[in-house]
Amino acid sequence: MLQLQAIREDKEQIVEALKKRNIEALPIIESVLQLDEKRRSLQARLDNTLAESNSISKEIGQLYKSGKAAEANFLKERTGSLKEESKELNEALTATATELQNLLYQIPNVPHTSVPAGSTEEDNEEVFREGDIPTLKEGALPHWELARKYDIIDFELGVKIAGAGFPVYKGKGARLQRALISYFLDRNAAAGYNEIQVPHLVNEASGYGTGQLPDKEGQMYHIGEDDLYLIPTAEVPVTNIFRDVIISESDFPITHTAYTPCFRREAGSYGAHVRGLNRLHQFDKVEIVRVEHPTKSYEALDGMVEHVKNILRELKLPYRILRLCGGDLGFTSALTYDFEVFSTAQDRWLEISSVSNFETFQANRLKLRYKDENGKSQLAHTLNGSSLALPRVLAGILENYQTEDGIQIPEVLIPYTGFDKIS
């Protein structure tokens, strides 16, 4: 959520910056400023009314002590009208503040200056590429056919149990999945991230805190009876650990990693590009989350990018990094780098990680603050990244490591799997 003070002081710059997202934000920004002015006016009137009421109450006490009951009773009538007026002002203030908050929730984060302009993923800027794309022999199979051939993932059984997008991993497929989770967590821990386990359900306040609500409400699974949401990513519960928290400057940086299953409705996703593991309703992911001092957050973002690079180097998967354009940038992000692994059998790039800096956007919603050297409360910066999302990493391994007599296991994973080939 953008800060009101920033909107008041930098209206033109914010409106211009949001054009990178292909948004004409001036009307909603003007509405925000009008509501903010109304809110402040109501607050001032309410404060004056309460102050007058308190002053008269003290005066009434003095009059009674002085034996001036008639004058005291006359003033009591005034306090009655003031109480009614303060009640009406308070109700109007609450309604205006709620309307203002709801408008602010609709405005996305301001893109970083380095974000390229653009409308779709075709306008994303490739900033790095590494790894040799293997040459597969004729007859190489996509991962969904390999899964069937070696009986390691059963998509049809998942349909029977839950529906499309809920695969069942079997045998060496399940063990490879578990190996990847353990490997990612170990690599993150070695890089200084503190491993935690978090709930897979969150309340509405948590969804609003990290910006999934109201923006992604249609993509989240909602349990109506309990008013809880299945998490779309570990980012939500991990970051919400710090909701309504004031930390010290000495606490920076705060670094966490967590494995969770993730749940996304993926409404409207159809076609060949969603086959197999390409797009699921339930999938596993290991996440890294950082809470940083504002002056250090972009240095931290660069470090997160390098960390994910090193994991992919160890897996020996060909990958590229994209800087997302304004039109493809997530609602809460100021700057995002997407990692994509090349799927040789499908002859296409598959997104496997997003690493983002949200600056103060989430912290403002979360009320996540720190005390600066002057003892003043300031908003922290939050960052997160996939390290990594498993389905498409697994798809890349199955396809790129396939041979005529089986699927080789990346060397770095063999200590975790206990086998070197699926055959």
Side-chain angles (χ1 to χ4, degrees):
M1 188 167 65
L2 299 183
Q3 298 178 64
L4 269 172
Q5 183 176 347
I7 294 175
R8 292 188 205 112
E9 296 175 356
D10 303 314
K11 181 183 78 171
E12 290 78 11
Q13 293 92 321
I14 288 172
V15 170
E16 187 62 29
L18 288 172
K19 288 179 180 178
K20 275 191 177 180
R21 290 182 175 272
N22 307 301
I23 295 172
E24 180 46 67
L26 184 58
I28 193 170
I29 292 293
E30 291 285 12
S31 296
V32 163
L33 292 173
Q34 290 168 13
L35 280 170
D36 180 45
E37 184 61 36
K38 180 180 178 182
R39 179 188 62 84
R40 290 194 288 170
S41 174
L42 286 168
Q43 184 68 66
R45 289 171 59 192
L46 177 60
D47 291 344
N48 290 336
T49 301
L50 292 173
E52 184 181 354
S53 180
N54 289 336
S55 177
I56 291 175
S57 294
K58 291 178 182 178
E59 188 176 350
I60 288 171
Q62 292 297 327
L63 289 170
Y64 274 126
K65 286 181 181 179
S66 303
K68 300 176 181 178
E71 292 181 42
N73 291 333
F74 176 77
L75 286 178
K76 284 181 73 175
E77 293 180 13
R78 173 61 180 154
T79 60
S81 64
L82 287 171
K83 285 180 181 178
E84 184 61 32
E85 184 179 347
S86 65
K87 179 184 176 183
E88 292 173 359
L89 285 169
N90 194 55
E91 290 173 352
L93 179 61
T94 300
T96 301
T98 300
E99 188 178 356
L100 175 59
Q101 187 87 336
N102 289 337
L103 266 188
L104 287 168
Y105 279 144
Q106 297 175 37
I107 304 172
N109 201 356
V110 172
H112 187 262
T113 54
S114 67
V115 171
S119 302
T120 68
E121 61 183 27
E122 302 301 321
D123 300 312
N124 294 334
E125 176 187 358
E126 183 175 324
V127 295
F128 189 82
R129 184 183 292 211
E130 188 172 64
D132 297 324
I133 295 173
T135 301
L136 300 180
K137 293 190 176 181
E138 187 176 350
L141 301 175
H143 69 268
W144 54 86
E145 292 187 20
L146 291 167
R148 183 183 298 109
K149 178 179 179 179
Y150 296 108
D151 195 27
I152 54 175
I153 307 172
D154 195 322
F155 295 100
E156 289 75 20
L157 188 55
V159 172
K160 172 185 175 181
I161 296 169
F166 297 91
V168 175
Y169 299 86
K170 303 165 66 177
K172 287 187 175 180
R175 289 168 64 186
L176 178 55
Q177 182 86 343
R178 177 159 53 91
L180 280 165
I181 293 168
S182 296
Y183 165 65
F184 292 153
L185 285 170
D186 284 352
R187 290 295 286 112
N188 295 345
Y193 289 89
N194 179 44
E195 182 180 348
I196 57 173
Q197 291 188 1
V198 288
H200 302 162
L201 292 161
V202 293
N203 54 29
E204 185 179 68
S206 294
Y208 274 93
T210 43
Q212 279 68 32
L213 296 177
D215 179 57
K216 294 290 189 295
E217 186 168 15
Q219 293 294 331
M220 295 176 71
Y221 285 99
H222 183 225
I223 303 171
E225 184 175 348
D226 302 297
D227 197 20
L228 293 171
Y229 294 84
L230 287 168
I231 60 170
T233 166
E235 168 202 342
V236 182
V238 174
T239 311
N240 270 278
I241 290 171
F242 304 100
R243 177 155 44 90
D244 297 318
V245 169
I246 299 177
I247 59 179
S248 301
E249 278 196 283
S250 59
D251 294 328
F252 292 124
I254 297 172
T255 58
H256 285 319
T257 184
Y259 153 70
T260 64
C262 304
F263 304 88
R264 299 181 187 178
R265 294 184 61 240
E266 297 290 3
S269 297
Y270 306 101
H273 69 288
V274 302
R275 289 195 66 180
L277 298 172
N278 288 350
R279 185 156 297 176
L280 301 175
H281 294 306
Q282 177 182 327
F283 60 94
D284 292 318
K285 184 153 68 86
V286 176
E287 197 82 354
I288 50 177
V289 171
R290 300 181 73 99
V291 179
E292 289 280 353
H293 190 283
T295 62
K296 298 289 186 180
S297 68
Y298 279 96
E299 179 184 337
L301 182 67
D302 291 341
M304 293 167 75
V305 168
E306 288 301 316
H307 175 63
V308 176
K309 278 185 184 179
N310 289 332
I311 292 176
L312 290 169
R313 284 171 182 148
E314 290 186 354
L315 289 173
K316 297 180 180 177
L317 289 172
Y319 71 94
R320 68 177 183 177
I321 304 174
L322 305 176
R323 183 188 286 119
L324 296 193
C325 71
D328 203 30
L329 194 64
F331 184 86
T332 55
S333 177
L335 176 61
T336 293
Y337 293 103
D338 268 7
F339 283 74
E340 296 182 336
V341 66
F342 192 77
S343 165
T344 308
Q346 297 179 72
D347 192 30
R348 58 189 291 254
W349 293 97
L350 303 175
E351 181 196 334
I352 55 168
S353 174
S354 289
V355 181
S356 303
N357 189 346
F358 307 108
E359 297 185 358
T360 61
F361 193 84
Q362 287 183 334
N364 195 27
R365 288 172 173 242
L366 295 160
K367 294 183 174 59
L368 165 54
R369 295 152 290 173
Y370 70 95
K371 293 286 189 181
D372 65 17
E373 66 275 11
N374 299 316
K376 187 177 178 181
S377 290
Q378 306 284 358
L379 291 172
H381 279 196
T382 61
L383 305 91
N384 90 279
S386 312
S387 181
L388 289 162
L390 271 77
R392 294 171 186 170
V393 171
L394 185 58
I397 290 173
L398 296 180
E399 294 180 6
N400 292 339
Y401 277 85
Q402 64 179 298
T403 67
E404 290 181 344
D405 61 348
I407 300 165
Q408 295 291 335
I409 299 300
E411 185 178 353
V412 73
L413 293 179
I414 294 173
Y416 292 89
T417 60
F419 55 87
D420 62 6
K421 182 181 284 189
I422 296 172
S423 58

